Protein backbone atom coordinates (compact mmCIF):
# COMPACT_ATOMS: atom_id res chain seq x y z
CA UNK A 1 0.00 0.00 0.00
CA UNK A 2 1.41 3.36 -0.97
CA UNK A 3 1.55 6.40 1.26
CA UNK A 4 -1.43 7.87 -0.60
CA UNK A 5 -3.52 4.83 0.34
CA UNK A 6 -2.45 5.10 3.97
CA UNK A 7 -3.30 8.80 3.98
CA UNK A 8 -6.75 8.15 2.45
CA UNK A 9 -7.36 5.37 4.98
CA UNK A 10 -6.42 7.66 7.86
CA UNK A 11 -8.72 10.42 6.60
CA UNK A 12 -11.57 7.92 6.14
CA UNK A 13 -11.15 6.59 9.69
CA UNK A 14 -11.10 10.15 11.06
CA UNK A 15 -14.25 11.05 9.11
CA UNK A 16 -16.03 7.88 10.29
CA UNK A 17 -15.21 8.71 13.92
CA UNK A 18 -16.54 12.26 13.44
CA UNK A 19 -19.77 10.99 11.84
CA UNK A 20 -20.38 8.45 14.62
CA UNK A 21 -19.75 11.16 17.22
CA UNK A 22 -22.20 13.52 15.54
CA UNK A 23 -24.86 10.80 15.32
CA UNK A 24 -24.35 9.94 18.99
CA UNK A 25 -24.67 13.60 19.98
CA UNK A 26 -27.85 13.96 17.89
CA UNK A 27 -29.32 10.81 19.48
CA UNK A 28 -28.57 12.19 22.95
CA UNK A 29 -30.34 15.46 22.13
CA UNK A 30 -33.37 13.59 20.78
CA UNK A 31 -33.46 11.54 23.99
CA UNK A 32 -33.19 14.66 26.14
CA UNK A 33 -35.99 16.39 24.25
CA UNK A 34 -38.27 13.34 24.42
CA UNK A 35 -37.61 12.97 28.15
CA UNK A 36 -38.37 16.68 28.69
CA UNK A 37 -41.62 16.31 26.72
CA UNK A 38 -42.57 13.23 28.76
CA UNK A 39 -41.66 14.86 32.09
CA UNK A 40 -42.91 18.42 31.61
CA UNK A 41 -45.75 17.73 29.16
CA UNK A 42 -48.47 16.83 31.67
CA UNK A 43 -47.55 19.81 33.87
CA UNK A 44 -47.81 22.22 30.93
CA UNK A 45 -50.86 20.60 29.32
CA UNK A 46 -48.99 19.41 26.22
CA UNK A 47 -50.43 16.19 24.74
CA UNK A 48 -48.25 13.11 24.33
CA UNK A 49 -46.82 12.17 20.94
CA UNK A 50 -48.54 8.78 20.90
Amino acid sequence: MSWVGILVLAVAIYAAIKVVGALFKAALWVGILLFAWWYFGPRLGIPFLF
Side-chain angles (χ1 to χ4, degrees):
M1 184 181 295
S2 67
W3 64 273
V4 175
I6 294 172
L7 182 66
V8 169
L9 182 64
V11 169
I13 291 172
Y14 176 75
I17 290 171
K18 292 301 245 182
V19 167
V20 169
L23 289 176
F24 182 69
K25 192 179 291 189
L28 280 177
W29 273 109
V30 168
I32 289 170
L33 291 175
L34 287 175
F35 175 76
W37 191 322
W38 172 78
Y39 188 75
F40 294 113
R43 291 164 179 79
L44 298 174
I46 301 171
F48 287 117
L49 290 174
F50 45 85

